Amino acid sequence: MSWLFGIKGPKGEGTGPPLPLPPAQPGAEGGGDRGAGDRPSPKDKWSNFDPTGLERAAKAARELEHSRHAKEALSLAQMQEQTLQLEQQSKLKEYEAAVEQLKSEQIRVQAEERRKTLTEETRQHQARAQYQDKLARQRYEDQLKQQQLLNEENLRKQEESVQKQEAIRRATVEREMELRHKNEMLRVEAEARARAKADRENADIIREQIRLKAAEHRQTILESIRTAGTLFGEGFRAFVTDWDKVTATVAGLTLLAVGVYSAKNATSVAGRYIEARLGKPSLVRETSRISVLEALRHPIQVSRRLVSRPQDALEGVILSPSLEARVRDIAIATRNTKKNKSLYRNVLMYGPPGTGKTLFAKKLALHSGMDYAIMTGGDVAPMGREGVTAMHKVFDWASTSRRGLLLFVDEADAFLRKRATEKISEDLRATLNAFLHRTGQHSSKFMLVLASNQPEQFDWAINDRIDEMVCFALPQREERERLTLEGGPV
């Protein structure tokens, strides 16, 4: 019932019990202006209180007590008070919830601050550890530098000490050598003076000794000349007067000259024969010809080779059908030539490298029952003046083969070039002339097979000596597939 006392709450109604009247303070006098009456103006906070509100409230309370709606008004006032209390409690709870939320926020903030503090402390600790480690490394490096400087200083001092000792030793040795030299010079000078004094004193005696020795030496030489002349004269006189001795001497000298000349020629002939039979020429790189030395070194392999049967000329060689038919005809003709002991036909095989020229030449020799020898044209030019002799040795050696020899010249265009257009040396020109001389006629002892990548560079005389020309082209797809399946060389 706060409205009875003129106090309004939030909704314009009374919110609390009636305020008690303040007690009057007697004797209180003010020092300000006076009002309409003679009353003194109060000096405290209750002096200006208006009691009309209380009067109206008391009047309204009396009216309400006599009113028939007094109970309802009292109940309404109580309900209003309860509502206000509930609102106050809800606000209090909201305040408490806000306080709890604020506490939680503070706890979270404190935890965040603590985490940040720990992070910062950790970072500071790491930075401090890194700085300490850096300081430790720097101290260690400084110590190493100081130790190195100290070692260098000690080494320098040791070197200076060694140098000083070496200088002292050298000075000592030089001093000793100087003193020794002085002493030696004094001794030599004293000996020379003594010898000169003695020679001056004994000059007459020495001159007499020299004169006697010269006279004795002259007499001895004259006696020797007389004796030698007498002996030689008597011997020559006795030799000339005895014709049997003169005849025997002339015959002995003649026989001695004939023997020396005959032995020299016989030794040369025997050496050439042994070299042709047993030795392999320097130009030949590979051969199947069996020599005595090879037979003694590898008797089993040599015996197997001797009893082996002739092989097919195209065994293991993969070629195109047309080329295979062509080289098979050449193999059959060569074998028949070998059987009939006729003259062999010279063959030129040309084409890119790695197409099977060398392999077919070996197979052709084995198929025909012949030996083969392989030489390279690139080995001829570096021999210079010895190329002519080496070329003759190759053909002499080839002519001594009993089974017949297939001479395969690989890279023949290296030294068989055109003499008219190519700039070749005189030594190489002489070697080419020797080759043309030895191949001017067909032979039943050897068969010449040339291989080249550029046959157009051959000299015209070489072309006249070729009977068959075979082109070994690159394998096509079918030949490559056969090569992949069989695994044989092209």
Side-chain angles (χ1 to χ4, degrees):
M1 297 176 65
S2 58
W3 58 274
L4 296 176
F5 302 99
I7 302 174
K8 297 181 179 181
K11 297 182 181 181
E13 297 179 353
T15 58
L19 297 174
L21 296 176
Q25 295 181 359
E29 298 181 355
D33 297 334
R34 295 183 180 273
D38 295 332
R39 295 178 302 180
S41 57
K43 296 182 180 180
D44 54 1
K45 62 181 180 177
W46 301 105
S47 58
N48 294 326
F49 178 74
D50 187 7
T52 56
L54 293 176
E55 292 176 358
R56 287 194 302 270
K59 184 178 179 179
R62 286 193 298 272
E63 291 176 358
L64 184 59
E65 288 178 358
H66 295 89
S67 176
R68 57 193 180 108
H69 299 288
K71 292 183 179 180
E72 291 80 356
L74 182 60
S75 299
L76 181 60
Q78 291 178 353
M79 291 177 65
Q80 290 178 352
E81 290 294 331
Q82 292 177 359
T83 302
L84 290 174
Q85 291 179 0
L86 292 176
E87 290 178 356
Q88 292 295 330
Q89 291 178 359
S90 64
K91 289 181 179 181
L92 183 60
K93 290 182 179 179
E94 291 178 357
Y95 176 75
E96 292 177 354
V99 171
E100 292 296 331
Q101 186 177 1
L102 182 60
K103 290 182 179 180
S104 300
E105 185 69 20
Q106 290 179 353
I107 293 173
R108 186 185 65 78
V109 171
Q110 291 178 357
E112 184 69 20
E113 292 294 332
R114 190 178 299 107
R115 185 183 63 79
K116 291 182 179 180
T117 303
L118 291 176
T119 304
E120 184 65 22
E121 289 179 354
T122 303
R123 189 182 65 80
Q124 292 291 338
H125 181 68
Q126 292 178 354
R128 190 183 306 109
Q130 292 178 358
Y131 182 70
Q132 291 178 356
D133 184 63
K134 181 180 179 181
L135 291 178
R137 287 199 301 270
Q138 188 174 2
R139 287 195 300 270
Y140 182 69
E141 291 177 357
D142 293 340
Q143 291 178 359
L144 290 179
K145 290 181 180 178
Q146 293 294 333
Q147 186 66 28
Q148 185 178 1
L149 293 175
L150 183 60
N151 293 336
E152 292 178 355
E153 184 67 20
N154 293 333
L155 181 60
R156 186 181 61 80
K157 291 181 179 180
Q158 291 178 1
E159 290 178 353
E160 291 179 355
S161 176
V162 171
Q163 291 178 358
K164 290 180 180 179
Q165 293 178 1
E166 183 66 20
I168 294 173
R169 187 187 64 81
R170 191 182 298 111
T172 304
V173 172
E174 291 177 355
R175 182 62 177 171
E176 291 178 354
M177 293 295 294
E178 184 180 359
L179 294 176
R180 188 178 297 113
H181 178 69
K182 288 182 178 180
N183 295 331
E184 189 69 21
M185 291 299 295
L186 293 175
R187 184 181 64 79
V188 170
E189 185 179 359
E191 291 180 354
R193 289 178 180 176
R195 193 179 299 110
K197 184 179 180 181
D199 291 340
R200 285 195 301 270
E201 294 176 354
N202 301 324
D204 298 337
I205 299 174
I206 294 173
R207 282 196 297 269
E208 186 65 22
Q209 290 178 354
I210 294 172
R211 187 179 63 79
L212 293 175
K213 287 182 180 180
E216 184 178 358
H217 181 66
R218 184 170 58 257
Q219 186 67 27
T220 303
I221 292 175
L222 291 176
E223 292 293 335
S224 299
I225 292 174
R226 291 193 192 97
T227 304
T230 304
L231 292 176
F232 180 76
E234 292 179 355
F236 183 74
R237 190 180 301 107
F239 177 76
V240 171
T241 55
D242 193 352
W243 291 101
D244 295 334
K245 292 182 180 180
V246 172
T247 304
T249 303
V250 172
L253 293 176
T254 304
L255 291 176
L256 179 62
V258 172
V260 170
Y261 181 76
S262 301
K264 182 178 180 180
N265 291 336
T267 304
S268 177
V269 171
R272 286 197 298 270
Y273 178 80
I274 294 174
E275 182 179 4
R277 290 290 180 179
L278 303 181
K280 183 181 70 172
S282 59
L283 286 177
V284 176
R285 287 195 171 188
E286 181 182 355
T287 181
S288 63
R289 185 173 175 180
I290 301 173
S291 62
V292 178
L293 296 177
E294 187 177 359
L296 294 176
R297 290 178 181 177
H298 309 286
I300 299 177
Q301 296 179 1
V302 172
S303 60
R304 289 179 180 177
R305 190 187 304 175
L306 291 175
V307 300
S308 62
R309 296 180 179 180
Q311 300 179 1
D312 186 9
L314 297 178
E315 182 181 356
V317 183
I318 299 176
L319 302 172
S320 61
S322 60
L323 181 59
E324 185 175 348
R326 179 77 182 279
V327 297
R328 189 176 293 277
D329 293 340
I330 295 175
I332 295 172
T334 304
R335 187 171 184 179
N336 293 332
T337 303
K338 172 70 170 55
K339 288 182 179 180
N340 298 326
K341 297 182 180 180
S342 301
L343 300 178
Y344 292 104
R345 296 172 61 85
N346 300 329
V347 181
L348 169 62
M349 297 185 292
Y350 63 94
T355 52
K357 298 186 288 295
T358 306
L359 179 61
F360 172 71
K362 292 181 180 179
K363 295 292 183 180
L364 178 60
L366 297 178
H367 172 74
S368 304
M370 303 170 61
D371 294 326
Y372 66 84
I374 300 176
M375 61 174 290
T376 305
D379 296 339
V380 179
M383 298 190 71
R385 297 181 179 179
E386 297 179 358
V388 177
T389 305
M391 189 62 63
H392 286 297
K393 287 183 179 180
V394 169
F395 284 102
D396 292 339
W397 176 74
S399 300
T400 58
S401 176
R402 296 181 179 179
R403 301 178 59 189
L405 182 71
L406 189 149
L407 181 59
F408 180 77
V409 183
D410 195 10
E411 299 178 2
D413 55 304
F415 77 103
L416 300 179
R417 296 176 177 269
K418 297 178 182 179
R419 290 170 291 178
T421 58
E422 295 290 340
K423 294 181 180 179
I424 60 177
S425 62
E426 293 297 328
D427 297 333
L428 190 60
R429 189 185 300 272
T431 305
L432 175 57
N433 292 331
F435 182 85
L436 294 175
H437 172 71
R438 300 304 296 263
T439 57
Q441 296 180 355
H442 291 77
S443 174
S444 60
K445 295 293 185 179
F446 63 88
M447 175 182 178
L448 183 63
V449 179
L450 304 180
S452 174
N453 302 330
Q454 299 175 348
E456 64 275 3
Q457 296 185 0
F458 281 139
D459 190 81
W460 295 111
I462 297 297
N463 297 331
D464 294 339
R465 286 159 173 76
I466 300 300
D467 301 310
E468 296 284 346
M469 294 182 64
V470 184
C471 178
F472 282 75
L474 291 174
Q476 301 300 321
R477 181 176 180 180
E478 297 179 357
E479 288 78 21
R480 294 181 185 274
E481 291 178 354
R482 290 172 55 195
L483 177 64
T484 304
L485 294 176
E486 298 181 10
V490 179

